Amino acid sequence: MSVFYNCCKAERPERRPALYTLGMAACAVIITFLAPGASTAAPPVERHGLISVEDYFSTGSAAAYDRNILTTRMRFDLTKINRDNGLSFHFDGRERMSLGPGDYNSNIKSVFIDTFNLQYSGQRYYLSAGRLRPKDLPIESVDGVNVLYQTSDLGMGFFTGSRPDPYTGAVNPDFLTAGAYLSYRKDDIASSVAFVHTAYKGGTDRQYLYGTLSYVPVTKTRFYGSVMADVDRTAGGLSPTNAIVELTYLPDGRMSLAVGYTQFRAIRYWRSMDYDINGTRQDAYYISGNWRLGDRYAVYGRIERQTRDYQTAAAGGSPALSNVLNMGLSADNLLDTGMNMNLSASLTDNYSSRNDSYRMELNRLFRDVLQIVLSGSVMASSYEITGETDNAYSLGAAGYLFISRNWSASASFDREQASGYSTNRLMTRLSYKF
C-alpha cells in the first residue's frame, strides 16, 4: 500500500484517510495543468517531485516481536503555473504501514501530510494557503494562511489557522495558532523576530518569542544565534526555553574554528498536556574545529561540556556533568584505491557512567553507478553505581545503486551485539525523481 496507490486508485471507499483525499486533489491538479493537449498558450508549468517506497525490518533478542514498517512517500512541486511565474503548488505526504505482528504504538496514524499548499510570490507580496510552514518561521506548522509583505531588506508577515494535531497530524480545529514576524536582510546580516500564540479548546496553550541573527562582524568571522522564550503563565514574564550561540572563524578554505553555547528545556503546553513536566535544563559549551591536510586528508574534533540541572533529585541537588570529546580523521582516495575512509572516536564521561565509542567507515563509488559503504564500531560502557561494564559491537554494510537519472535504489544492513542482546536491522528503498 502506498501514497501513490491511494492517490491514483479511486476504489476502496471504505478507507479514505486524509492523504487519500488530498492525494486525489493533488492528482487533479497535475492532470489539470499537465494533461496532453493543453493550450499552447498555457504557461510552461515546471514539475518536480519524488516517489519512494521504503521497508524497515528489525529483529532482536530483547524485542517482544519483529518490526516491519513499510513507508511510502510522495512529494511534488508545481511551479510557474501562471503567466508571471509566481504561483506554485506543493505537496509532501507519507503513508506508514506495519507489516509485522505489532507496532511501536497503537495510536500511530498511518497517514501524515507535511505540506499541502498553494503559494504566490510576487515582487512585494508572498501568500500561502493550506498546510504550510510560515516563511521565515519554519519551526511552526499551520493549516491556514501566511501573508508576507517584503521589500529588498525588510519583511513583515503574519499567519493564522489551526495547528496540525501534535499526536496524529490531522486537521484539528481544537488547536489554533496565530503569529506575526519581522525579518531584515542586508549585506552581511540576516535577522528575524516572531511572536506566536497557540490555543487549545478556547484557552491559551502556549505563547513564545523567537528570534534569530546571522552576522559577519569582520572578514572571515561568522556569528549565529537563536533564542526562544516562553511566557510563563504561572510566574509571569518570559522564561528562556532554547538558545544557540556560535562564533566561527574561517581563516582560509582549509580550516575552521568555532566556539558555541546551547541551552534546551522541555516545551510546556498549558492546556493540551494532561501531565506536568519538570524544569530540567541542559546547557552545553563547546569548541570545535576541522583542518584539511592537503587534498586528501582532514582532521576534526569537538570538545563539549554539558550540564543537566534536574529539578528532581540529582546528586546532592547538584547538576549532572558530562564531558564529551569527539575527534576524527578522514581520507579521500586512500592510497590511490578510490576508497574513502573515516575514523572517529567519541569519549563521554557522564555523571555516573562512561561511554567510549570508536567507529571506522569505508566507502567507494564504482563507475559513478554503485556506492558501497562498510562500517564497524565498538562502544565500551562502564557504570560507577553498579560496577558493571559492557561492550557493544556493530557491523554494517550499505549499497546505493543509481539506476538512471530518475531511478535509484538502496539497501543497508547492520548488526549490533552486546552481552545482553543482539539486534539486526535491514532497510531497503526504491526512489523515483522527476
Side-chain angles (χ1 to χ4, degrees):
M1 188 180 303
S2 67
V3 173
F4 183 73
Y5 176 85
N6 282 341
C7 173
C8 299
K9 189 173 177 63
E11 295 89 56
R12 303 181 65 216
E14 72 284 353
R15 183 176 183 268
R16 289 177 179 261
L19 187 53
Y20 176 89
T21 304
L22 296 181
M24 288 298 291
C27 288
V29 172
I30 292 179
I31 293 172
T32 300
F33 291 105
L34 304 181
S39 170
T40 56
V45 176
E46 293 186 359
R47 66 189 188 278
H48 306 280
L50 169 73
I51 299 173
S52 67
V53 180
E54 177 183 284
D55 184 75
Y56 171 81
F57 177 81
S58 70
T59 180
S61 60
Y65 47 80
D66 296 342
R67 294 188 173 117
N68 192 357
I69 306 297
L70 181 69
T71 303
T72 305
R73 180 180 179 185
M74 172 184 277
R75 174 182 59 80
F76 61 82
D77 304 281
L78 300 177
T79 60
K80 299 183 179 180
I81 294 176
N82 62 333
R83 295 188 182 281
D84 64 5
N85 297 331
L87 188 63
S88 60
F89 175 79
H90 307 275
F91 175 85
D92 190 351
R94 60 186 185 270
E95 185 168 16
R96 177 183 181 278
M97 183 178 182
S98 177
L99 303 180
D103 206 344
Y104 299 93
N105 190 318
S106 60
N107 293 324
I108 296 177
K109 301 301 179 182
S110 62
V111 172
F112 195 90
I113 305 294
D114 295 288
T115 303
F116 185 84
N117 62 65
L118 278 171
Q119 294 182 10
Y120 175 77
S121 296
Q123 186 174 5
R124 287 284 185 263
Y125 291 96
Y126 168 87
L127 307 172
S128 183
R131 173 156 295 186
L132 55 92
R133 293 192 178 274
K135 198 170 186 180
D136 296 324
L137 191 64
I139 62 174
E140 275 294 321
S141 181
V142 59
D143 295 319
V145 296
N146 177 207
V147 180
L148 172 67
Y149 173 78
Q150 51 194 359
T151 64
S152 58
D153 303 330
L154 185 67
M156 298 176 290
F158 74 90
F159 63 91
T160 186
S162 64
R163 292 177 61 230
D165 190 301
Y167 304 101
T168 66
V171 177
N172 191 337
D174 288 339
F175 293 89
L176 300 178
T177 183
Y181 55 91
L182 293 172
S183 63
Y184 178 79
R185 291 180 176 83
K186 187 173 184 179
D187 299 329
D188 294 329
I189 186 171
S191 62
S192 66
V193 61
F195 181 78
V196 180
H197 171 92
T198 66
Y200 178 68
K201 292 185 176 180
T204 298
D205 202 23
R206 185 189 179 206
Q207 294 175 316
Y208 70 91
L209 191 70
Y210 178 75
T212 64
L213 173 64
S214 177
Y215 180 47
V216 181
V218 294
T219 304
K220 300 180 181 180
T221 303
R222 297 177 182 175
F223 171 84
Y224 174 79
S226 71
V227 63
M228 179 186 294
D230 280 54
V231 175
D232 191 326
R233 296 186 59 78
T234 300
L238 290 172
S239 175
T241 308
N242 298 323
I244 300 174
V245 177
E246 183 176 276
L247 182 65
T248 305
Y249 176 57
L250 302 155
D252 52 43
R254 294 182 174 272
M255 182 179 180
S256 70
L257 182 67
V259 293
Y261 164 78
T262 63
Q263 178 192 131
F264 296 100
R265 300 191 192 202
I267 294 174
R268 180 171 183 176
Y269 293 94
W270 297 87
R271 285 181 63 89
S272 62
M273 278 184 174
D274 57 2
Y275 56 90
D276 200 3
I277 60 173
N278 59 40
T280 299
R281 167 178 166 177
Q282 176 177 303
D283 298 81
Y285 304 84
Y286 64 88
I287 178 170
S288 65
N290 65 74
W291 185 22
R292 190 151 189 89
L293 308 172
D295 297 329
R296 296 189 180 185
Y297 302 96
V299 292
Y300 56 91
R302 177 184 174 111
I303 302 174
E304 183 171 321
R305 183 175 178 84
Q306 302 173 354
T307 63
R308 297 177 181 86
D309 187 5
Y310 296 101
Q311 298 300 311
T312 55
S318 301
L321 302 178
S322 296
N323 297 309
V324 183
L325 171 62
N326 296 316
M327 53 189 172
L329 167 69
S330 65
D332 299 332
N333 192 19
L334 185 65
L335 302 176
D336 294 323
T337 61
M339 184 176 297
N340 304 317
M341 180 188 71
N342 186 57
L343 300 174
S344 62
S346 178
L347 312 179
T348 305
D349 186 6
N350 291 311
Y351 156 65
S352 61
S353 65
R354 184 175 181 87
N355 305 98
D356 298 333
S357 64
Y358 307 89
R359 178 179 175 84
M360 179 178 183
E361 181 178 291
L362 300 171
N363 73 82
R364 191 177 191 277
L365 183 63
F366 297 89
R367 298 182 179 274
D368 296 328
V369 172
L370 176 64
Q371 184 179 23
I372 299 295
V373 181
L374 302 175
S375 63
S377 67
V378 57
M379 174 180 285
S381 303
S382 59
Y383 307 92
E384 294 180 8
I385 297 177
T386 63
E388 295 179 349
T389 61
D390 189 19
N391 293 330
Y393 303 91
S394 177
L395 292 173
Y400 304 87
L401 179 62
F402 307 99
I403 303 171
S404 67
R405 182 177 179 182
N406 304 102
W407 289 93
S408 63
S410 65
S412 64
F413 173 81
D414 68 89
R415 175 179 174 82
E416 186 174 346
Q417 177 76 54
S419 59
Y421 71 92
S422 62
T423 302
N424 298 304
R425 292 177 288 263
L426 174 65
M427 180 179 293
T428 58
R429 177 185 296 169
L430 178 65
S431 301
Y432 174 72
K433 289 184 178 181
F434 58 92

